[in-house]
Amino acid sequence: MSGIYPPKEFVKQANFRDPAIYSRAYENWVEFWENFATELEWYEPWEKFLDDSKAPYYRFFVGGKINACYNCVDRHSEMRNKSALIWEGENGESKSLTYYQLYREVNALARGLKELGIERGSRVALYMPNIPEAVVAMLACARIGAIHVFIFEGFSARSAEYRIRDSRAEYLITADGYYRRGKLINLKEKADKAIESYKGIKKVVVVERAGNEIEFDEKRDVLYSDVVERGKVDPEIVDSNHPLFIMYTSGSTAEPKGMVHSTGGYLVHVYATSKLVLDLKPDDIIWTTASLGWITGHSYGVYGPLSVGSTLLLYEGAPDYPEKCRTFEIIEKYGVTIFYTVPTLVRMISGCDPSLYDLSSVRLIGTVGEPIEPETWLWLYKDVGRERVPVVNTWWQTETGGHVISQLPALTPMKPASVGKALPGFEIAIIDDGGKPVKPFEIGHLVIKRPYPGMMLEINGDPRSYIQFYWSKFGKRIYFTADSAFMDEEGHVWVVGRSDDVLNISGHRISLIEIEHTVMGVKEVKEVSAVALPDRVKGSVIGLFVVSENPSEKTGMRIIEEIEQNIGKIAKPGLIVFLPELPKSSGKVIKGAIYDAVVNKKKSEHLSNPEVVESLTKLKASERGIVVL
Ligand code: WTA
């Protein structure tokens, strides 16, 4: 097999070294998963591994009773001298919690939350920065059977409101503020705005993180420090398919959808893949750079690593602030062993010289969230890892809960920029529109052919979209990922990108349709088309092509403001172009013609108004800012 073979030193100590794991998992699929499941603790064993009678509503470990918090915390709480979590704030303060301290803290919050009225099945929104209390809040919810709905702190008040409303959250946990690029952000103010017109929130718990002044509604708000109560709470014994959390993500519609994840199946999946792919062991310190508010933060920033008994490193701020190379400083300072990140961050720090830092503690690097180019992958492998450590490229989605395709670090030869092969226990294919497998190197639809324990249970409150998005293109047994990919003759996969109107920016999912809807809210805008444009650092940026009565810098700024208020800074466009008309054919906007003109300098011939692309071809592909044509 071709590719770069895993470093020998790594292989010697790896969790999984026997190549037969692939065939064994294929032949004894149930046993493969059940073996991982039995390494977790269950109150009652499952009666059935998989119930697929109501496909595509697959249910795993049916009848099993479990508690996620127990498996992540109580099981390891005897380790009184071992860190569960090490935290660094943006301005350099540091804090750590041993497993025992985490156990006490989670119990104390769980007690307090129960006192407030939170119970099994209550939905609790967490609008929180990357601070230890956010991890504690997730686990405390899990402990009492409440369902957490984490909202990334960078989202605007309106984005948060949508998620709170749609999930019918009854409680909100937030913080006074947090630091980002040296600025204190007043999160409580955003939280107040988010629930101004939604009357479903009974109590708001506020963590005092930054000590900034906040509005305090005596009837509704309570301080975190007043909520926690010394003592213990027995973990709630829940069914394997009791929801653990809801995570919102963008699909190809104007509104984000809430992906509901199970407790038992999800935990088995993230536990197994933490060991298989990230090679996690109890003495590891893993730094997953994603915010807790994204699926990566949940699966490999909290539940996976804690279920294995490893130590989490949690960082509050921007990875390149105040020093461009802060990422390497943090790795060196804490002796991070597993570094799991996104290609955008790697490109951001690629100007740093890794040889100036002691990175010898690192023994595995992983990336996720967007395609990585060969140069960036090779920089990680050669310059950062010194050809000493495997660099795995993991493919998965919010919907899948955990890894699906990746190299196994001691077993799969690495091909720069490839995501490797389907993991043991998974079956994927790349097929054409008619459902037939494509030939090697031909691009097709990436699909998953067999269910797996971490897969989402449903879309919150929207069964129609669940079927329509994922299970209608190729039927109820073939999961449509909406990604395009190709394979080589050896089964290694290269992911090309999304085939729908979803964009991955810096590893975050954004819907182009949601952006277009938002921009239409600006009254000067008559028409808009959002197109993903390639970008050297971020992978892609949003290009907005706008028809307006008042094409100007000012309207451009209004558009940016509208996006920041409705969605958040992550969706800020890289380029806004005002033009007299959008390229059309039979009255429909042809996005491909915009892309071809700007990026490939090609003029599409099949337009009813070909003259409009002429000026677009003159734009530089790297052009950023506001341009009036
Ligand atoms: C993309 C993130 C290329 C893909 C865990 C997928 C990737 C979407 C990779 C899911 C990768 C994820 N290479 N593309 N290694 N991993 N993607 O839900 O388009 O935020 O559909 O989950 O990210 O994004 P999500």
Side-chain angles (χ1 to χ4, degrees):
M1 218 187 267
S2 57
I4 301 173
Y5 273 78
K8 282 206 187 69
E9 283 304 305
F10 177 88
V11 175
K12 266 198 246 159
Q13 57 80 62
N15 286 339
F16 295 92
R17 282 172 278 182
D18 180 0
I21 187 169
Y22 284 103
S23 54
R24 269 211 296 272
Y26 186 78
E27 284 147 23
N28 304 311
W29 180 64
V30 175
E31 193 185 300
F32 170 79
W33 283 113
E34 287 191 333
N35 281 344
F36 283 109
T38 50
E39 290 178 23
L40 296 177
E41 287 192 36
W42 299 74
Y43 298 102
E44 274 176 47
W46 54 96
E47 290 147 19
K48 201 168 177 191
F49 168 65
L50 167 65
D51 176 3
D52 62 356
S53 60
K54 296 198 183 74
Y57 292 95
Y58 296 95
R59 295 296 177 256
F60 284 86
F61 303 105
V62 179
K65 305 271 190 247
I66 191 165
N67 182 283
C69 175
Y70 181 87
N71 277 283
C72 290
V73 183
D74 299 42
R75 266 201 322 159
H76 317 301
S77 62
E78 287 307 309
M79 296 191 280
R80 288 177 166 76
N81 56 358
K82 183 185 167 175
S83 297
L85 187 160
I86 302 172
W87 173 77
E88 171 146 315
E90 195 185 69
N91 39 27
E93 65 262 68
S94 176
K95 195 158 124 180
S96 69
L97 287 175
T98 63
Y99 265 99
Y100 186 70
Q101 288 171 318
L102 179 66
Y103 169 76
R104 300 222 352 141
E105 182 96 15
V106 167
N107 268 285
L109 181 63
R111 268 194 80 160
L113 295 182
K114 274 194 132 171
E115 282 288 302
L116 292 181
I118 301 180
E119 51 191 30
R120 174 197 289 246
S122 302
R123 283 145 181 235
V124 184
L126 312 179
Y127 193 20
M128 302 181 83
N130 267 24
I131 52 175
E133 290 82 354
V135 176
V136 172
M138 288 167 71
L139 293 164
C141 286
R143 186 169 198 84
I144 59 179
I147 303 161
H148 57 76
V149 185
F150 210 121
I151 303 163
F152 168 56
E153 77 274 20
F155 274 133
S156 68
R158 262 182 249 169
S159 271
E161 177 183 348
Y162 177 83
R163 287 159 171 80
I164 290 169
R165 218 179 252 285
D166 188 77
S167 64
R168 284 177 284 112
E170 292 174 289
Y171 299 85
L172 171 64
I173 308 182
T174 187
D176 51 3
Y178 63 94
Y179 294 94
R180 186 84 187 169
R181 293 193 186 281
K183 256 183 42 198
L184 192 151
I185 316 271
N186 188 333
L187 183 60
K188 176 66 165 45
E189 194 181 303
K190 281 206 289 181
D192 286 341
K193 248 197 237 150
I195 55 172
E196 211 166 43
S197 66
Y198 171 70
K199 296 295 165 227
I201 294 289
K202 296 179 183 150
K203 285 282 173 203
V204 178
V205 180
V206 187
V207 178
E208 297 150 280
R209 148 70 187 123
N212 51 307
E213 248 181 63
I214 53 170
E215 300 260 324
F216 201 81
D217 175 343
E218 295 290 342
K219 280 210 227 81
R220 187 197 67 190
D221 300 348
V222 271
L223 290 177
Y224 179 98
S225 52
D226 290 337
V227 170
V228 287
E229 269 187 50
R230 269 175 48 223
K232 289 183 191 164
V233 179
D234 285 337
E236 190 79 14
I237 299 174
V238 300
D239 192 86
S240 180
N241 287 293
H242 177 74
L244 179 61
F245 64 86
I246 302 175
M247 169 66 66
Y248 278 78
T249 193
S250 297
S252 47
T253 57
E255 278 118 25
K257 302 281 173 200
M259 312 286 144
V260 184
H261 277 284
S262 74
T263 304
Y266 171 80
L267 201 64
V268 170
H269 187 155
V270 297
Y271 170 77
T273 47
S274 291
K275 289 177 72 170
L276 275 165
V277 178
L278 301 177
D279 196 51
L280 271 186
K281 304 180 177 66
D283 49 11
D284 275 311
I285 299 185
I286 174 169
W287 184 16
T288 296
T289 61
S291 286
L292 290 170
W294 302 105
I295 191 72
T296 310
H298 278 37
S299 301
Y300 302 105
V302 177
Y303 287 110
L306 290 181
S307 63
V308 174
S310 328
T311 303
L312 310 175
L313 180 80
L314 188 66
Y315 171 58
E316 176 191 43
D320 58 347
Y321 186 88
E323 302 297 328
K324 188 171 164 45
C325 308
R326 182 152 192 189
T327 301
F328 289 145
E329 287 173 14
I330 292 177
I331 294 177
E332 179 183 89
K333 179 170 172 188
Y334 297 103
V336 168
T337 59
I338 311 290
F339 179 53
Y340 191 38
T341 191
V342 289
T344 295
L345 188 149
V346 182
R347 292 184 214 109
M348 263 162 72
I349 60 167
S350 62
C352 296
D353 179 358
S355 71
L356 299 178
Y357 302 85
D358 177 3
L359 306 176
S360 56
S361 58
V362 176
R363 60 176 197 87
L364 182 142
I365 299 172
T367 66
V368 58
E370 37 163 336
I372 186 166
E373 345 35 72
E375 313 82 79
T376 308
W377 188 91
L378 282 165
W379 184 72
L380 275 179
Y381 180 67
K382 292 196 164 147
D383 295 42
V384 181
R386 308 261 177 112
E387 305 187 22
R388 226 179 16 85
V389 311
V391 177
V392 293
N393 181 5
T394 61
W395 181 94
W396 57 294
Q397 306 179 305
T398 305
E399 291 85 342
T400 69
H403 302 147
V404 175
I405 313 174
S406 167
Q407 293 81 10
L408 280 186
L411 288 167
T412 326
M414 296 170 283
K415 302 186 185 185
S418 160
V419 289
K421 299 201 271 183
L423 291 172
F426 294 85
E427 240 188 283
I428 60 158
I430 298 177
I431 59 181
D432 62 19
D433 280 331
K436 291 220 176 60
V438 296
K439 295 199 194 78
F441 298 105
E442 259 177 33
I443 295 178
H445 304 288
L446 175 64
V447 296
I448 307 177
K449 286 169 56 184
R450 212 181 216 184
Y452 47 89
M455 66 195 296
M456 64 193 291
L457 292 172
E458 60 199 13
I459 294 182
N460 183 52
D462 193 353
R464 258 190 47 207
S465 296
Y466 179 63
I467 304 291
Q468 194 194 331
F469 288 173
Y470 310 108
W471 307 100
S472 47
K473 197 163 170 76
F474 300 110
K476 294 197 169 146
R477 305 234 161 220
I478 294 190
Y479 172 83
F480 175 64
T481 65
D483 269 27
S484 302
F486 64 88
M487 228 181 232
D488 65 9
E489 307 87 345
E490 296 173 332
H492 291 244
V493 175
W494 276 260
V495 175
V496 179
R498 302 279 303 195
S499 61
D500 58 1
D501 271 334
V502 172
L503 182 60
N504 297 310
I505 301 183
S506 316
H508 302 149
R509 248 164 87 167
I510 295 169
S511 151
L512 292 174
I513 295 178
E514 187 183 357
I515 291 172
E516 288 168 357
H517 274 241
T518 305
V519 175
M520 287 309 289
V522 175
K523 78 171 184 312
E524 292 88 352
V525 173
K526 270 171 53 186
E527 240 184 325
V528 59
S529 182
V531 177
L533 301 173
D535 184 81
R536 214 177 49 79
V537 174
K538 296 182 169 169
S540 322
V541 293
I542 299 161
L544 292 180
F545 297 83
V546 184
V547 180
S548 165
E549 290 148 5
N550 182 13
S552 61
E553 180 87 15
K554 202 166 145 223
T555 307
M557 295 308 288
R558 277 281 306 118
I559 291 175
I560 294 173
E561 227 171 81
E562 187 77 8
I563 292 175
E564 290 189 353
Q565 270 175 22
N566 280 280
I567 307 173
K569 279 202 167 53
I570 53 162
K572 189 176 163 186
L575 174 68
I576 300 180
V577 179
F578 289 99
L579 65 178
E581 280 175 53
L582 295 177
K584 286 186 183 167
S585 170
S586 330
K588 263 176 64 184
V589 177
I590 307 299
K591 285 193 187 205
I594 301 180
Y595 184 93
D596 265 350
V598 178
V599 179
N600 303 325
K601 307 299 163 208
K602 275 210 308 241
K603 293 173 209 161
S604 170
E605 286 156 16
H606 311 284
L607 298 172
S608 37
N609 50 356
E611 66 287 353
V612 301
V613 293
E614 180 73 37
S615 52
L616 286 177
T617 57
K618 304 214 170 83
L619 282 173
K620 277 202 270 28
S622 59
E623 183 89 42
R624 297 288 176 266
I626 299 167
V627 178
V628 180
L629 291 179

